[in-house]
Amino acid sequence: TENGAEQFPNDLKVDMAACCTKDREKCIEDVDQAYAALVKLLDPEEEPEPLIVKAASILINAARQRVKEGKVQKSHKHYLRKCMEGQQCSMDILKSKKRQEL
């Protein structure tokens, strides 16, 4: 859902943990900083958008390592080309339906 990370950070943390079933140690290592960003979302002093962008970027990179593009619904494939290592990431980029260029 729109703003799901901000509205339901605990649910998202549970979903993240549930995804790490195959290469458990490496997966947990890969998403650890996303989990930490979601924990910070619970602090009213923190600005939510940078934390959400950070978590999304980390999760996209973790998914890219584990999910074959052919298994991703066509409507969601554009996310696999966003926020790649070395690329800038922002909420505008994440919300765009276009593929991000290198």
Side-chain angles (χ1 to χ4, degrees), residues 34-99:
Y35 192 93
L38 292 175
V39 169
K40 284 185 177 182
L41 272 177
L42 300 172
D43 182 348
E45 300 284 319
E46 293 285 343
E47 180 66 35
E49 188 168 304
L51 295 171
I52 293 167
V53 169
K54 179 179 182 176
S57 176
I58 292 167
L59 293 174
I60 290 168
N61 279 296
R64 194 179 297 116
Q65 294 174 40
R66 292 168 176 80
V67 179
K68 292 181 179 160
E69 193 170 333
K71 298 259 183 186
V72 178
Q73 289 182 0
K74 186 177 179 179
S75 61
H76 291 79
K77 283 185 181 185
H78 63 97
Y79 289 112
L80 294 177
R81 298 283 177 229
K82 294 183 179 181
C83 305
M84 296 175 89
E85 197 167 325
Q87 288 181 331
Q88 187 175 8
C89 193
S90 70
M91 191 62 76
D92 288 339
I93 290 169
L94 290 168
K95 287 182 175 182
S96 169
K97 297 287 185 195
K98 295 179 182 176
R99 295 174 103 185

